[in-house]
Amino acid sequence: DKSKVESDEGKMLYGTFFEGAEVVECDVCDADKLTETLKDISTEAPGGKIDAIISCLASRSGIKKDAYAIDYQATLNCLESGRAVNARHFVLLSAFCVKNPWLQFQQAKLKFEAALEAQSDMTYSIVRPTAFFKSVSGQLEVVQQGAPFVMFGDGTVTSCNPISEADLATYLIDSITDKSRLNKIINLGGPDEPLTMKKQGEMLFEAVGKEPNFFY
């Protein structure tokens, strides 16, 4: 929805992120329309060609129907449209958690990864980031309101080193030209040591000045 970027509110919130870019709206679920749009962009692009495609598509709900419609099929549409216009490279934003594919969206992402690896018309980089700082801090408001910090197991079963959105965006862009990332799956985390869920919770409670209160 271009209006979310080009409206007064959109310009205030996201204007700096799109400075110098042309925003084109297209339904990625419509394969034919998507290919037509990319062909139009190719015609106007320098040298008459799209060099690379970066896909950050993800379903909102993660349920099976949405996951296979977006994380798999719509992303596959982007790949096929890229192949149709002879794009050189495809950068996929996947997820670190697909290593243990218990959920439908993880399975859908893996299915697309397999399709991307199987084709030979475009080189690719598959980037699997850990959690964003933004998502890790999702319990901050809950903790501030006095509710417990929710964890799996005893809070030490899993750990992650969150990455900032800006650092991830830079990495994705750099993957277009970095030859060391060609045709590779890259697990990507932040610069710090991994933190257990319990440690993350303790840091949140310390930040808001409350006694630790965990729900296991």
Side-chain angles (χ1 to χ4, degrees):
D1 186 351
K2 287 178 64 174
S3 65
K4 291 184 178 180
V5 175
E6 297 182 341
S7 65
D8 290 340
E9 182 181 4
K11 290 177 181 178
M12 181 179 67
L13 293 173
Y14 312 113
T16 56
F17 300 116
F18 290 91
E19 186 175 350
E22 179 183 355
V23 179
V24 179
E25 184 176 346
C26 184
D27 183 0
V28 291
C29 293
D30 187 334
D32 293 336
K33 185 62 177 178
L34 179 59
T35 298
E36 180 182 332
T37 300
L38 291 192
K39 286 181 178 179
D40 290 342
I41 295 172
S42 295
T43 301
E44 300 174 4
K49 183 180 179 182
I50 292 176
D51 184 54
I53 293 173
I54 299 178
S55 174
C56 300
L57 294 175
S59 56
R60 290 185 178 183
S61 69
I63 63 174
K64 184 174 183 178
K65 180 181 178 181
D66 291 345
Y68 279 88
I70 302 300
D71 296 88
Y72 173 67
Q73 188 59 59
T75 314
L76 183 64
N77 292 346
C78 293
L79 173 62
E80 295 302 332
S81 295
R83 295 171 71 184
V85 298
N86 298 314
R88 175 186 62 84
H89 192 64
F90 193 101
V91 181
L92 173 68
L93 174 61
S94 185
F96 183 78
C97 62
V98 301
K99 296 173 66 177
N100 297 305
W102 298 326
L103 304 176
Q104 294 293 338
F105 83 90
Q106 296 166 337
Q107 295 167 21
K109 285 183 180 296
L110 282 178
K111 185 175 181 180
F112 175 75
E113 286 188 12
L116 180 58
E117 292 177 288
Q119 59 80 43
S120 58
D121 295 328
M122 298 176 67
T123 54
Y124 62 85
S125 300
I126 298 173
V127 182
R128 295 176 173 176
T130 56
F132 293 136
F133 279 107
K134 187 175 182 179
S135 60
V136 170
S137 64
Q139 295 197 68
L140 177 60
E141 290 185 12
V142 176
V143 167
Q144 287 176 319
Q145 294 168 4
F149 184 90
V150 180
M151 303 185 299
F152 294 105
D154 62 358
T156 62
V157 176
T158 61
S159 61
C160 75
N161 51 342
I163 187 170
S164 73
E165 293 179 358
D167 285 348
L168 176 58
T170 298
Y171 194 90
L172 293 173
I173 293 294
D174 289 346
S175 295
I176 294 174
T177 57
D178 191 330
K179 294 183 178 179
S180 69
R181 302 175 193 171
L182 289 181
N183 301 330
K184 289 185 178 179
I185 296 175
I186 303 137
N187 295 316
L188 185 67
D192 302 313
E193 288 296 315
L195 301 172
T196 64
M197 289 297 293
K198 186 173 184 180
K199 181 62 178 178
Q200 292 173 35
E202 291 172 346
M203 292 171 68
L204 280 182
F205 283 113
E206 182 179 355
V208 299
K210 291 182 178 293
E211 286 294 318
N213 178 19
F214 295 103
F215 180 82
Y216 298 92

